Amino acid sequence: MEVNQPTEPHIAILPSPGMGHIIPLFQLAKRLVTHHRLRVTFLVITTADPAPAAQNNLLRSDAVPSGLRVVDLPAVDVSDLLAGVPPGLTPLCVMVEHSLRRHLRPVLLGLDGVTAVVIDLFCTQAFEICGELSIPVYSFFTGSTGLLTFSLYLPTLDRETEGEFVDLPEPVQVPGCRPVRTEDLLDQVRVRKSDEYKWFFLHVSRLYKAAGIFANTWKDLEPVPLLALKENPFFLNIPTPPVHPIGPVVKEEEPYTESDKEVLTWLDKQKPDSVLFVALGSGGTLSTKQLTELAFGLELSQQCFILVARTPNDATAMGTFYSAGGREDDPIAYLPEGFVKRTEGVGLVVKSWAPQVAVLRHASTGGFLSHCGWNSTLESVLHGVPMITWPLYAEQRMNATQLATEAGLAAKPTVEPWKEVVGREEIERVVRAVMEGKEGKVIRRRAKELRDSARVALDSGGSSCDSLARVVKAWKLN
């Protein structure tokens, strides 16, 4: 009699659109295949034709391991629903809603026995669809654990608060956590009658349905919110799904273009810890005036720098959210006249996109002026690089304050970049402080401590490694 041999679990992973969501979930997919020998199907919600260059470079490279299959969900046309809607969470959620309602069920049924589905925060329609198919759903939280605790608390805060949260006389006190300044509250909760708030509230209010929540962090980076989730009576009584800290889950390798190789060759010629890397994430753009002040500030600082430059956008800070990696106009056309020539040899201007992981890993990189997105934050920490905070949108203000005042990993300009234009003199000051001042030395020491801690957490027997292994063991037993 033939005995059926057990097969490895088959996990489907579903991110919402945007590189900030795709990158960490794809890295998790690779880790499940290469470290735990699982079969993984990575589902991609199609938003553009052709797909953004950076997305293609990540998902279609030769480095994708066998056992990891990438499947595109068929495109849906929601242009009539999004006419006149500005960039933000609303268009993303509308696209996801229509894509999953139409395509997720048949795609899952067409796969070979799915053990579990892992989604990010903005794909919670999967709870209902997978529930009908008796497939457990796990949430991968792509933001900080500080944001996770706030998100789990939000339904209670919404129920108990009148008026706008930003008008509260005191910071928001998330149970067991450090207070959140009202000015740091993420964009999506600043106007409660807005569509942005309605979508965000909808998704966080479903988090309790998850079979577990993967947190992209580890104890030494975020001890306070992790302890609150584990011990605070509020989170124990919601109830909160089991939280599995498995971070940092970040991009480890990336294919290089010819222009990427030129960047790394330039870095090879610089002194250790001498270069400030200036990059504002996959979607960030500056206004014309702010980009001009940033350029002059870098020039005045007399520090070596790599500036990832994009065509300025005076209407939105999310000008490239869905087109990451696309080549844009020549920076000479929008940077101050003569800037590129005057800073030649000291600075390097890169159009649109740079190999961020390789730059942060490089010995010559000594600082990172960042929008403080959580992926970029974790990449900076993993490579021991001190930061200058430059938050633009979403929850980046919360991250910036956490990095500067709690984790000791960053310096903040005295002017909030999201409030007003930061002048060239202030940019010169904060750049010098991090790259050659006493403040920078303290931050650099702390960054290297957490770098070592992160590596221990990820190594065999480390806390993050063991946390993920326990979930994989449960999948295999089921």
Side-chain angles (χ1 to χ4, degrees):
M1 181 173 117
E2 184 177 343
V3 178
N4 292 328
Q5 295 297 319
T7 59
E8 293 294 353
H10 182 185
I11 309 302
I13 296 184
L14 173 67
S16 54
M19 292 301 288
H21 303 279
I22 290 172
I23 287 173
L25 273 82
F26 193 65
Q27 190 61 41
L28 173 64
K30 291 169 65 176
R31 189 177 294 183
L32 291 174
V33 170
T34 57
H35 293 189
H36 299 279
R37 301 186 182 279
L38 304 187
R39 294 177 299 146
V40 177
T41 298
F42 195 81
L43 304 176
V44 181
I45 296 173
T46 304
T47 61
D49 186 19
Q55 179 176 311
N56 273 335
N57 290 341
L58 177 71
L59 302 182
R60 314 295 177 186
S61 79
D62 295 336
V64 176
S66 59
L68 172 53
R69 179 186 175 202
V70 178
V71 173
D72 293 321
L73 299 186
V76 294
D77 184 5
V78 293
S79 56
D80 57 330
L81 300 174
L82 298 179
V85 178
L89 183 61
T90 298
L92 181 149
C93 289
V94 170
M95 282 187 277
V96 170
E97 173 89 22
H98 285 262
S99 180
L100 299 190
R101 293 294 181 196
R102 195 171 305 175
H103 299 303
L104 182 58
R105 182 185 179 93
V107 167
L108 290 175
L109 287 172
L111 298 178
D112 179 24
V114 176
T115 306
V117 174
V118 180
I119 64 172
D120 76 11
L121 177 60
F122 303 123
C123 293
T124 61
Q125 293 84 359
F127 286 125
E128 177 185 346
I129 296 165
C130 293
E132 296 170 355
L133 301 176
S134 299
I135 301 173
V137 178
Y138 290 73
S139 177
F140 184 107
F141 200 82
T142 53
S144 70
T145 308
L147 178 61
L148 172 59
T149 55
F150 176 85
S151 299
L152 290 167
Y153 178 60
L154 183 60
T156 300
L157 180 66
D158 180 88
R159 187 171 62 250
E160 296 180 350
T161 305
E162 295 184 3
E164 299 294 354
F165 304 141
V166 293
D167 296 329
L168 291 171
E170 300 291 338
V172 176
Q173 182 58 67
V174 178
C177 300
R178 294 186 176 94
V180 179
R181 299 190 310 166
T182 54
E183 57 262 48
D184 287 341
L185 290 172
L186 64 161
D187 293 336
Q188 289 74 24
V189 305
R190 300 180 77 81
V191 181
R192 293 170 72 184
K193 294 181 180 179
S194 69
D195 287 339
E196 294 281 290
Y197 182 81
K198 292 173 184 174
W199 279 112
F200 187 79
F201 185 85
L202 172 71
H203 289 298
V204 300
S205 64
R206 292 170 171 169
L207 275 171
Y208 76 92
K209 297 183 178 183
I213 298 174
F214 293 117
N216 198 1
T217 194
W218 69 104
K219 181 181 178 181
D220 288 346
L221 180 62
E222 296 189 275
V224 174
L226 283 174
L227 183 65
L229 289 169
K230 185 178 180 180
E231 296 185 359
N232 189 274
F234 173 83
F235 294 108
L236 296 177
N237 292 330
I238 297 178
T240 302
V243 176
H244 310 284
I246 62 170
V249 180
V250 298
K251 193 195 307 183
E252 297 174 356
E253 300 291 343
E254 52 195 338
Y256 299 146
T257 64
E258 286 304 313
S259 60
D260 293 340
K261 293 175 183 176
E262 292 174 8
V263 173
L264 299 178
T265 299
W266 184 87
L267 270 173
D268 289 340
K269 300 174 183 177
Q270 312 308 316
K271 296 178 182 178
D273 289 336
S274 67
V275 178
L276 176 70
F277 181 48
V278 182
L280 299 174
S282 57
T285 50
L286 298 177
S287 68
T288 303
K289 186 174 182 180
Q290 183 62 86
L291 183 59
T292 298
E293 290 300 306
L294 176 60
F296 279 124
L298 292 173
E299 185 176 353
L300 288 170
S301 76
Q302 299 182 315
Q303 305 298 309
C304 293
F305 66 85
I306 294 175
L307 170 61
V308 180
R310 294 185 178 133
T311 303
N313 191 317
D314 294 328
T316 176
M318 299 180 66
T320 61
F321 189 81
Y322 293 118
S323 58
R327 291 301 175 194
E328 302 186 18
D329 298 334
D330 189 339
I332 291 177
Y334 52 80
L335 287 168
E337 184 176 355
F339 170 77
V340 174
K341 188 168 184 59
R342 290 194 305 273
T343 58
E344 189 174 0
V346 175
L348 180 67
V349 177
V350 182
K351 291 189 292 185
S352 181
W353 189 264
Q356 180 163 299
V357 171
V359 171
L360 291 173
R361 182 190 295 131
H362 201 284
S364 295
T365 302
F368 184 20
L369 190 153
S370 170
H371 65 309
C372 302
W374 196 242
N375 291 324
S376 291
T377 294
L378 293 177
E379 289 170 5
S380 192
V381 173
L382 187 58
H383 299 296
V385 179
M387 301 174 68
I388 297 172
T389 64
W390 199 282
L392 295 175
Y393 55 83
E395 84 287 3
Q396 294 164 12
R397 291 182 294 274
M398 294 176 65
N399 294 344
T401 296
Q402 178 181 341
L403 291 168
T405 64
E406 298 175 25
L409 290 167
K412 295 181 73 173
T414 55
V415 177
E416 301 277 13
W418 55 275
K419 279 185 178 179
E420 55 186 291
V421 172
V422 184
R424 62 193 71 179
E425 293 84 4
E426 174 58 16
I427 293 168
E428 175 192 7
R429 183 201 67 79
V430 73
V431 168
R432 285 182 178 274
V434 169
M435 298 303 294
E436 61 182 20
K438 292 181 180 179
E439 181 181 10
K441 289 182 173 61
V442 173
I443 296 172
R444 193 177 311 280
R445 185 161 53 247
R446 174 62 174 157
K448 294 188 185 307
E449 288 173 358
L450 279 172
R451 173 199 64 189
D452 296 341
S453 167
R455 292 174 179 175
V456 169
L458 292 173
D459 280 347
S460 178
S463 59
S464 294
C465 179
D466 285 352
S467 184
L468 181 57
R470 284 191 290 271
V471 178
V472 170
K473 182 178 180 180
W475 286 340
K476 290 182 177 181
L477 290 175
N478 291 334

